[in-house]
Amino acid sequence: MILSLRRPSTRGVALFLGLSGTAAAVLAGPGAAQDPADLAQQLAAIAAAPVEAGQVAGVAAAVVRGTDTLLFMSHGAADLELGAPLPLDAVFMVGSVTKTVTAAAILQLVDAGRVGLDESLDTYLPDYPLQGRTVTLRNLLNHTSGIPGYTEMTAYRGLQWRSLPRDSLLTLVSGQPFEFEPGTAMSYSNTGYFLLGRVIEAVTGLSYAEVLERNLFGPLGMDRSRYCSDSELMEGRVTGYSRGPDAALRRADPVDHTWPYAAGSVCATVGDLMMFSTALHGGEILSPTGYRAMTHPDTLAGGHALRYGLGLFLETDARGRPMIHHSGAIEGFLSEMRYYPEDDLHVVVLMNTLGVARPEAVATALADRVLGPSSATAARADGERGVPSGTVGEGAERSYAGTYVGRAFGRPMTVTVEDAGDGLIVVERADTVTLGHDRGETFLSPPDRLGTTAIYAFVGDDDPGAELHVDVAGGHFVLRRDDDPLAGLWDSPTPRTTVVELDGHAVRIRTAAPHPHRIPGRPLVVFEAGFGSTLGTWGPFLEQVADLAPVVAYDRAGIGESGWDGVEPTFEHIAGRLRKLLDEIGAEPPFVLVGHSFGGDLVRYFARFH
């Protein structure tokens, strides 16, 4: 079903116009440059395209410009097994769009004088250990706290399916070291918003769900929005799907909403989210001061500006148009809520399938159809922050080329910078990108398919390439030059874990510390971490074996924390990468390989061919 209503808050259908194909649209306000009915039909076709292509089960979308509703529609299935069509007021899990709602709830408390953005977290949660650091609510809101994200932690995988008290998660996280000093970097973190939910409850004496209903959903008329429930019946809630290895749609895994909480547990309709967007950007939710704080980028301690406000991304789209937005992804669902301030244009797109089709791409296509390219946005796209020129300053290749290492989203990150003659090339995992010079020591990648440009800034007082700051909008990571991450591998006084790039994939290896009684010339012993094991599995044996021989524990891509983006590779691929790694660290035969489970088969394959 595809419909367009005069106002998103309307529950019934106000007016119909019959359209050919699968779409039916309603004329809702005058169009600027063409017949409004044609525009409505074209917008509906854009939004429905992923359903028609078989990529998603259903899509709901709304487009509002000023006071005109240009599109308000649903199309596809609410439940594939039942053949139930997607209703206009279908309820979706919206994932991380919840963060915008949580941020608004916190800023309402700021407006009321009940919390302070720059007050320390332990003012409100005195039992949370900050390990001697000061973490403010602002740090939590803009992801600069340094507190590790729980969804990136291996231990969380075992926790998320268990019914435990909610603060079990905080116990898990609070014992982990900080990723960085608060305010010095940015890493998108669900933990920060989990903590903000606890702050809301501590200050108000109400549950997070009650605060949202009293302060936001109720007053705004968002009567189909609520905190998602694992067990309660929810009128209009649709089924979520994912795409399997064979590209077929299948029912998504269930979600225990104990854990997404204030970072991702809001359920809403497309109409309700449109009401929230128009109210937020129309000054109905926050004071002018609160709204400016939410939509104004903060800076890191080193002076680098973020592309994230308080619960909102502050970016430009592929055409260079400023936009304020947030996306969401959770089992079975994807979402995008977007506002173009220069054109007073709101776009909301919801999908009940987690797969290759992205709501951000649909939202951009809808905005393109409404706004079209303008001379102002085209100039911005080709100038300030748009298409890189592909040229670099004199001597850049001498200053910047090298390998930079650090951490990103709780995991090791390695970026190699190379001189391309007329530009710089960066290699990270499987991605190779040519950078163009922006200004000073800053370079840009071309926009990705969603329109996001990565910013690479080289920093250093005496050596401009001593540090590399990588800004991917959802993170600002500080990497330090380490031109040979394998150098000194055998001479380290302590066990050392290193991430290397092999065939476009990040692979972790670990060497045991040298032992004074090690016998020179002994063969290298390789422990292979396969299914059911990680590098830590071999920990108790490393130093014992190191008494006699050099030791490496190799974490196969796709296991533990190594990166593998596709299906598990064949033994041929794994053995080839292992052989390449051994060559790279200068290890010569003979080797002694140790593996278990599938690792045993790999050992036999490696011995036969390498």
Side-chain angles (χ1 to χ4, degrees), residues 227-248:
Y227 190 95
C228 301
S229 171
D230 311 320
S231 57
E232 295 179 13
L233 296 177
M234 188 178 301
E235 183 183 358
R237 178 162 52 180
V238 301
T239 302
Y241 297 90
S242 62
R243 288 170 62 90
D246 57 358

Side-chain angles (χ1 to χ4, degrees), residues 447-521:
D448 63 16
R449 64 189 181 92
L450 301 179
T452 299
T453 297
I455 302 173
Y456 293 79
F458 295 89
V459 178
D461 294 333
D462 299 322
D463 178 4
E467 289 183 356
L468 173 60
H469 290 229
V470 182
D471 178 355
V472 294
H476 186 114
F477 309 113
V478 180
L479 311 181
R480 290 175 174 81
R481 181 140 65 186
D482 184 0
D483 288 338
D484 185 3
L486 298 174
L489 199 59
W490 305 110
D491 302 323
S492 174
T494 59
R496 177 173 174 181
T497 300
T498 304
V499 178
V500 297
E501 300 288 334
L502 289 179
D503 296 340
H505 301 284
V507 177
R508 298 176 71 219
I509 61 174
R510 185 179 185 218
T511 56
H515 194 281
H517 301 301
R518 179 179 294 161
I519 301 174

Side-chain angles (χ1 to χ4, degrees), residues 222-590:
M222 299 169 61
D223 54 12
R224 302 278 283 188
S225 300
R226 59 182 294 183
Y227 190 95
C228 301
S229 171
D230 311 320
S231 57
E232 295 179 13
L233 296 177
M234 188 178 301
E235 183 183 358
R237 178 162 52 180
V238 301
T239 302
Y241 297 90
S242 62
R243 288 170 62 90
D246 57 358
L249 297 183
R250 57 195 63 201
R251 188 179 289 269
D253 292 334
V255 179
D256 183 340
H257 281 285
T258 303
W259 311 120
Y261 186 43
S265 282
V266 163
C267 280
T269 67
V270 67
D272 279 3
L273 282 186
M274 181 58 75
M275 281 191 283
F276 180 86
S277 182
T278 55
L280 176 66
H281 299 295
E284 299 178 32
I285 294 178
L286 301 173
S287 69
T289 300
Y291 179 75
R292 184 179 186 280
M294 193 176 193
T295 57
H296 185 76
D298 283 318
T299 57
L300 297 175
H304 296 273
L306 299 176
R307 287 189 281 174
Y308 196 91
L310 306 182
L312 285 167
F313 285 95
L314 312 173
E315 298 185 84
T316 57
D317 70 3
R319 292 190 182 275
R321 296 177 293 232
M323 66 178 182
I324 303 170
H325 76 112
H326 214 294
S327 58
I330 196 167
E331 282 83 348
F333 295 88
L334 291 169
S335 56
E336 171 76 357
M337 182 172 65
R338 179 178 298 191
Y339 177 59
Y340 291 87
E342 290 184 351
D343 300 284
D344 196 20
L345 180 71
H346 303 259
V347 182
V348 178
V349 180
L350 305 179
M351 296 177 175
N352 64 331
T353 305
L354 186 63
V356 294
R358 298 292 303 184
E360 299 95 330
V362 173
T364 296
L366 292 171
D368 284 348
R369 191 66 200 87
V370 173
L371 302 176
S374 68
S375 57
T377 57
R380 185 184 299 109
D382 292 335
E384 296 179 8
R385 285 287 184 218
V387 180
S389 65
T391 60
V392 297
E394 182 179 355
E397 65 276 10
R398 295 193 302 273
S399 300
Y400 305 136
T403 299
Y404 298 80
V405 297
R407 294 183 67 81
F409 300 122
R411 298 178 181 273
M413 180 180 188
T414 301
V415 171
T416 301
V417 179
E418 303 172 358
D419 172 29
D422 59 350
L424 294 180
I425 292 177
V426 296
V427 181
E428 188 209 344
R429 298 202 175 200
D431 296 327
T432 300
V433 180
T434 300
L435 303 183
H437 186 230
D438 180 38
R439 57 172 68 85
E441 313 294 339
T442 301
F443 297 77
L444 304 179
S445 75
D448 63 16
R449 64 189 181 92
L450 301 179
T452 299
T453 297
I455 302 173
Y456 293 79
F458 295 89
V459 178
D461 294 333
D462 299 322
D463 178 4
E467 289 183 356
L468 173 60
H469 290 229
V470 182
D471 178 355
V472 294
H476 186 114
F477 309 113
V478 180
L479 311 181
R480 290 175 174 81
R481 181 140 65 186
D482 184 0
D483 288 338
D484 185 3
L486 298 174
L489 199 59
W490 305 110
D491 302 323
S492 174
T494 59
R496 177 173 174 181
T497 300
T498 304
V499 178
V500 297
E501 300 288 334
L502 289 179
D503 296 340
H505 301 284
V507 177
R508 298 176 71 219
I509 61 174
R510 185 179 185 218
T511 56
H515 194 281
H517 301 301
R518 179 179 294 161
I519 301 174
R522 292 289 183 171
L524 175 70
V525 179
V526 181
F527 292 98
E528 193 276 331
F531 282 117
S533 67
T534 65
L535 292 184
T537 305
W538 300 114
F541 304 100
L542 289 177
E543 297 215 19
Q544 295 179 43
V545 178
D547 287 354
L548 302 175
V551 174
V552 166
Y554 163 63
D555 192 2
R556 178 197 314 170
I559 305 298
E561 294 185 8
S562 291
W564 180 256
D565 297 327
V567 297
E568 179 67 14
T570 64
F571 287 135
E572 180 181 3
H573 292 152
I574 300 168
R577 287 206 303 275
L578 177 55
R579 174 72 241 202
K580 187 174 179 180
L581 180 147
L582 294 173
D583 290 341
E584 196 166 328
I585 65 177
E588 298 291 339

